[in-house]
Amino acid sequence: MTVTPSAPRSGPSPHLAGLTTLRVGGPAADLVVAETEDALVEAVRGADEAGTPVLVVGGGSNLVVADEGYAGRVVLVRTRGLRAESDLCGGAFVEVAAGEPWDDLVAAAVERGWSGLEALSGIPGTTGATPLQNVGAYGQEVSQTLARVRTWDRRRGAVRTFAAADCGFGYRTSRFKQEPDRFVVLAVTFQLGVGDLGAPVQYAELARALGIEVGRRAPARAVREAVLALRRGKAMVLDAEDHDTWSTGSFFTNPFVDPDRLPEGAPSWPADGDRVKTSAAWLIEHAGFAKGHGDGPARLSSRHTLALTNRGEASTADVLALAREIRDGVLTRFGVELHPEPVLVGCSL
């Protein structure tokens, strides 16, 4: 790709609270809105050449920024575009610009008869952010259908494309997350099935909602509708009028523990190596933190103990204080340390 000199749109420097789903965070020193791939590369490259720190923001759904704000350049990824090639043998190869809203892509896939993303319905954020976390829900992960990721390598100063096998995917991680200041995702290509049926349903709760057995298939449209209903019931679909949805979604990842360290009664699933994965939500609830816990501007969601929510006037400090209380409570009760899922910028637990 030849990057032509471009003029990314600059604007006033708002508080990051207005750019994140948790709605906390101080001002940005500099804000650039990148609406084309060239503009995105130029905004990042220009800051790098000037020695200016860069924070790339998509939908802001997995981001917690310090109350002091960000003393560098914030680049808003607002690129758009979807290109598809489809046949019954190879399926659909769908290349998507990083700034495309993720749920718009899932809706389009279901509408066009492409399967493999339907259980990821209702997840906020942009498509370019999904490989970083290896986003997953209800038995599906992005890595299952991702074919390649095109990136800007800030260290090499060049465009690089990674096949799925080279992305280092794991549970809520990837090589892009492990090297957070190196790669900027420009576009993601998925290989999806073609047909009305979704992928085999691997999540028991979703299977029950669909009235099928785990491992069976259902129409992709029905899977999407069932997932959206389940997520709404847990306040995991964004709604500006509902403070239970003012969150980053799940604040803690499910921990991996040695089988002999698994708390009695805790659910578990096989994991890599000799460890098992258990439920952070179960640990939080059984450590004494009920839904709605808290009496300040930051509280647990009234519908899901994994979501730390802003009740309207919370600061980043309020959210982190609640997170520390929960993390420390679970550690004291069960000896298991919870780790945050969102990216913490200028702050820490």
Side-chain angles (χ1 to χ4, degrees), residues 338-349:
L338 297 181
H339 297 280
E341 183 169 326
V343 176
L344 307 183
V345 178
C347 55
S348 66
L349 290 187

Side-chain angles (χ1 to χ4, degrees), residues 146-171:
L146 186 145
R148 57 183 177 266
V149 182
R150 190 168 73 252
T151 71
W152 173 252
D153 185 339
R154 297 168 63 185
R155 185 179 303 169
R156 292 189 181 182
V159 172
R160 293 182 64 189
T161 298
F162 295 92
D166 298 321
C167 291
F169 287 125
Y171 172 66

Side-chain angles (χ1 to χ4, degrees), residues 253 255 257 327 330-331 335-339:
T253 57
V257 299
R327 179 200 60 188
V330 169
L331 183 61
V336 176
E337 184 173 1
L338 297 181
H339 297 280

Side-chain angles (χ1 to χ4, degrees), residues 44-54 71-72:
V44 174
R45 182 170 64 181
D48 286 343
E49 290 175 350
T52 302
V54 176

Side-chain angles (χ1 to χ4, degrees), residues 25-62:
D30 177 37
L31 175 70
V32 175
V33 181
E35 297 178 335
T36 68
E37 189 171 293
D38 283 0
L40 174 55
V41 170
E42 185 62 25
V44 174
R45 182 170 64 181
D48 286 343
E49 290 175 350
T52 302
V54 176
L55 176 64
V56 178
V57 177
S61 60
N62 201 49

Side-chain angles (χ1 to χ4, degrees), residues 95-278:
E95 183 181 63
V96 188
E100 279 288 343
W102 172 254
D103 196 53
D104 288 359
L105 169 62
V106 178
V110 171
E111 183 65 28
R112 299 187 190 191
W114 303 332
S115 66
L117 302 180
E118 56 281 346
L120 301 175
S121 293
I123 295 175
T126 56
T127 299
T130 59
L132 277 70
Q133 288 284 110
N134 186 18
V135 165
Y138 295 102
Q140 282 184 357
E141 289 184 332
V142 165
S143 59
Q144 294 170 336
T145 52
L146 186 145
R148 57 183 177 266
V149 182
R150 190 168 73 252
T151 71
W152 173 252
D153 185 339
R154 297 168 63 185
R155 185 179 303 169
R156 292 189 181 182
V159 172
R160 293 182 64 189
T161 298
F162 295 92
D166 298 321
C167 291
F169 287 125
Y171 172 66
R172 300 300 175 268
T173 193
S174 68
R175 73 178 300 165
F176 313 116
K177 184 176 181 179
Q178 295 302 315
E179 298 183 77
D181 297 322
R182 180 168 182 178
F183 299 104
V184 178
V185 175
L186 304 177
V188 186
T189 300
F190 298 91
Q191 183 177 11
L192 306 174
V194 176
D196 293 333
L197 292 178
V201 174
Q202 302 296 339
Y203 200 80
E205 182 184 24
L206 178 57
R208 288 194 298 269
L210 290 164
I212 62 174
E213 296 178 357
V214 171
R216 301 297 295 272
R217 302 173 71 187
R221 190 179 302 274
V223 175
R224 173 170 168 78
E225 292 172 354
V227 167
L228 288 173
L230 289 170
R231 290 183 66 88
R232 288 191 184 100
K234 300 173 184 178
M236 291 294 184
V237 175
L238 294 179
D239 181 349
E241 303 302 318
D242 183 358
H243 287 290
D244 267 342
T245 72
W246 289 29
S247 75
T248 61
S250 298
F251 195 91
F252 295 103
T253 57
N254 289 325
F256 292 78
V257 299
D258 294 330
D260 59 358
R261 298 287 304 279
L262 182 71
E264 183 178 356
S268 65
W269 302 270
D272 294 336
D274 297 327
R275 296 187 301 169
V276 296
K277 182 171 69 174
T278 189

